[in-house]
Amino acid sequence: MTELSGGPSLPQERRVVTAIPGPKSQELLARKNAAVASGVGSVLPVFTVRAGGGVVEDVDGNSLIDFGSGIAVTSVGSSAEAVVRRASAQLADFTHTCFMVTPYEGYVEVCEELARLTPGDHAKKSALFNSGAEAVENAVKIARSYTKRQAVVVFDHGYHGRTNLTMALTAKNMPYKHGFGPFAPEVYRVPLAYPYRWLTGPENCAEEAAAQAIDMISKQIGAENVAAIIIEPILGEGGFIEPAKGFLPRIAEFAKTNGIVFVADEIQSGFCRTGQWFACEDEGIVPDLITTAKGIAGGLPLAAVTGRAEIMDAAHSGGLGGTYGGNPVACAAALGAIETMRELDLNAKAKHIEEVMKGRLAAMQEKYDIIGDLRGRGAMIAIELVKSGTKDPNPEATAAVAKACHSAGLLVLTCGTYGNVLRFLPPLVIGEDLLNEGLDVLESAFAEL
C-alpha cells in the first residue's frame, strides 16, 4: 500500500485564500441556521468539499491543516484507499439487510478482528452499534445482566455520551447535560487521579485518588451493588487527562476482587491513536469490556462492545441490537481502516507524532507561562492553559488561541471541564512537514495574545 494523500489529487498544503469562514461558507451557514436545529453547533463553520491526509478543503478553496480528525474519527485520513475500496464494493452489493433479520459476513469479520486486537487472550465476543454513546449504554446493559446488580461507577471529568443514560455518566454539565434531566438513576461519580490538579502533588495522586475512590465505592455504594466501573484510560472531552500511573491498575484490581465489570471506554483513545491499539495497554490493563467507535471505521458510523465471552453472552437473545447496528457498509469500512492501520503501522506513526508535537509544545511551554500542562500520548496530545503565575483555568486565552489558529488555516479543538484545554488529534497519516507547519501556526497564535 502506498502512502495515503487523501481525496482525489488533494494537495497536502495549508492554503488561505479568503477570510475564514469565506463567503460561500457564510451563505451555507445562513442556510444551516434556517434549516438545522440550533442545538447542533459547529466548531468552525467552514463547509467541507474534500478532505484527506492532513487537510480539509472548504467551498471557498481554503485548505486547512487538520488537527481534529473529526474528533479522532478519521485517524486513517478522510478518504483512505482501503476504506473507500471496501465500502464502495459493499455499496454495490447491498446497503442493508439488518443483521438481526439476515446476517452477513462483514459483521462477523469485524467481531473477529476486535477479538484479535483488543487486550487479553481470553475468549471474546462483540456486539456492533452505531455510536460511542450507544456502545457505552449497551456495556452497562451487559454488565447489569451479567452481575444482576444496578449501580454504575464513573469518574470526575469523564465523558461517555449524549443519550439519557450516558449523560448521567458524563461529568460536564454545559453543554452536554444542562436542561436535559432528569437523568438515569444508580450512577455514582468518584475522584479521578488528575496529576496536574491533585492538591498534594502529582507524586501522591495515584495512591490517594485510588484510595478515595475505593473508599467512596465501598462506604457510599457498597461494592456488592456495583455492576460496572467505567473509565476512559485517557480522558477525552474532560481534557485529555492521563490518570496518574498506578491508578488504573488499582481500580481494575478492586473491580476484579469484588466481581465488578471493569469497562474501558476507548471510544476516543482506541485504534492506534495513542501509539498502541488501545490506551489501556500502556499499564497492562485487560478490561472485562471495552467500548470502541470513532477511529474504528474511517468516518462511517460504527461502534462496538467487546469483552469476555461469558459476560457478553449474559444478555438474553434479542436483548442487544438495533436496526442499523453493524451496517454492512460501515463494517466494510472498518475492515479497510484496520487494514490501513496495519499496513502503514499507524501505531509507529502516532508515536512519531507525539515525539514531534511534544518537542515543539515543550519549547512553547518554556516560552509562554500560560501553558500550565502538556500531556497525552501518541497523536492524542493536549495543553492546559492557565492564568499567568497560577493554575487558575484560562478559557479566554484558550478560545483566543483557537480562533487565531482557525483564521490562519489550522483546525484545532478545545475541551476540558473548565474549557481551558487545547487538544490535538491530527490524522495519523499527516505528513511531518504539515504537522510542523500546524505547530508554527499555533506558536504564532500564542505570540499574538
Side-chain angles (χ1 to χ4, degrees):
M1 181 181 289
T2 56
E3 189 76 15
L4 300 176
S5 61
S9 66
L10 188 61
Q12 295 295 292
E13 64 182 15
R14 179 172 64 102
R15 185 175 63 251
V16 180
V17 296
T18 72
I20 295 178
K24 291 180 180 178
S25 279
Q26 292 189 44
E27 289 175 13
L28 285 165
L29 180 61
R31 288 170 55 188
K32 170 189 177 289
N33 290 340
V36 179
S38 298
V40 183
S42 299
V43 170
L44 178 58
V46 297
F47 283 74
T48 306
V49 290
R50 293 193 301 172
V55 297
V56 174
E57 186 177 298
D58 74 7
V59 290
D60 292 288
N62 299 299
S63 177
L64 282 69
I65 298 174
D66 184 8
F67 274 15
S69 298
I71 317 183
V73 169
T74 55
S75 297
V76 297
S78 299
S79 49
E81 183 274 332
V83 173
V84 174
R85 168 171 43 83
R86 286 180 179 253
S88 297
Q90 180 59 54
L91 275 168
D93 290 338
F94 62 94
T95 61
H96 179 70
T97 67
C98 184
F99 191 76
M100 298 182 300
V101 178
T102 59
Y104 36 86
E105 186 178 6
Y107 189 117
V108 177
E109 286 186 279
V110 170
C111 293
E112 290 170 339
E113 285 283 20
L114 287 166
R116 279 189 284 268
L117 294 171
T118 51
D121 56 7
H122 51 276
K124 301 172 199 164
K125 292 189 177 183
S126 294
L128 304 184
F129 305 98
N130 302 295
S131 70
E134 199 176 340
V136 173
E137 188 141 339
N138 277 276
V140 171
K141 288 166 57 177
I142 293 163
R144 284 174 168 167
S145 183
Y146 178 72
T147 62
K148 312 303 180 190
R149 305 171 181 178
Q150 294 185 342
V152 179
V153 171
V154 289
F155 292 82
D156 288 340
H157 308 288
Y159 176 85
H160 301 288
R162 296 173 182 262
T163 62
N164 185 265
L165 174 57
T166 56
M167 280 191 295
L169 301 175
T170 291
K172 190 174 180 179
N173 174 52
M174 187 58 123
Y176 305 112
K177 302 168 70 168
H178 185 73
F180 296 143
F183 302 115
E186 288 299 313
V187 173
Y188 301 89
R189 198 171 315 284
V190 297
L192 175 82
Y194 186 166
Y196 180 64
R197 294 197 171 275
W198 199 254
L199 289 177
T200 61
E203 67 279 4
N204 301 313
C205 184
E207 182 179 347
E208 292 180 2
Q212 287 182 26
I214 288 168
D215 184 68
M216 288 176 68
I217 295 168
S218 302
K219 301 295 193 305
Q220 298 182 27
I221 310 164
E224 68 277 9
N225 296 316
V226 179
I229 294 174
I230 306 174
I231 191 167
E232 302 160 274
I234 297 180
L235 278 70
E237 178 59 31
F240 282 24
I241 303 164
E242 286 187 271
K245 297 295 185 190
F247 178 79
L248 286 173
R250 180 93 181 271
I251 298 298
E253 183 59 33
F254 173 79
K256 182 178 180 180
T257 301
N258 290 278
I260 300 167
V261 176
F262 184 82
V263 183
D265 180 343
E266 293 257 13
I267 287 159
Q268 191 161 164
S269 59
F271 291 100
C272 306
R273 177 51 60 180
T274 64
Q276 295 168 294
W277 281 99
F278 298 98
C280 59
E281 296 177 69
D282 184 64
E283 291 189 89
I285 303 294
V286 178
D288 297 311
L289 301 179
I290 184 167
T291 59
T292 53
K294 290 192 181 292
I296 193 173
L300 275 73
L302 189 69
V305 182
T306 302
R308 298 183 184 276
E310 67 274 18
I311 299 177
M312 291 298 298
D313 281 343
H316 54 272
S317 180
L320 304 177
T323 302
Y324 297 108
N327 170 269
V329 181
C331 285
L335 294 170
I338 293 167
E339 174 188 332
T340 304
M341 292 171 197
R342 284 198 179 105
E343 298 226 359
L344 295 183
D345 192 2
L346 293 191
N347 279 317
K349 288 187 177 290
K351 289 175 182 175
H352 183 64
I353 288 170
E354 176 184 353
E355 182 182 356
V356 172
M357 293 199 83
K358 280 193 169 177
R360 293 286 307 275
L361 291 168
M364 292 184 213
Q365 187 178 24
E366 287 289 320
K367 191 173 181 181
Y368 301 104
D369 67 352
I370 65 168
I371 301 177
D373 195 30
L374 164 60
R375 55 183 180 250
R377 295 202 303 272
M380 189 174 181
I381 304 295
I383 50 177
E384 180 166 354
L385 303 193
V386 294
K387 295 177 181 176
S388 294
T390 75
K391 286 190 177 182
D392 294 342
N394 196 339
E396 298 82 10
T398 308
V401 170
K403 183 178 180 181
C405 288
H406 295 164
S407 296
L410 173 65
L411 177 56
V412 296
L413 305 175
T414 62
C415 66
T417 300
Y418 313 108
N420 68 321
V421 176
L422 286 162
R423 57 174 158 175
F424 309 114
L425 293 160
L428 304 182
V429 296
I430 193 170
E432 187 167 344
D433 289 349
L434 209 58
L435 181 66
N436 273 304
E437 185 176 355
L439 291 165
D440 291 341
V441 172
L442 176 68
E443 185 157 16
S444 295
F446 275 105
E448 292 173 12
L449 285 178

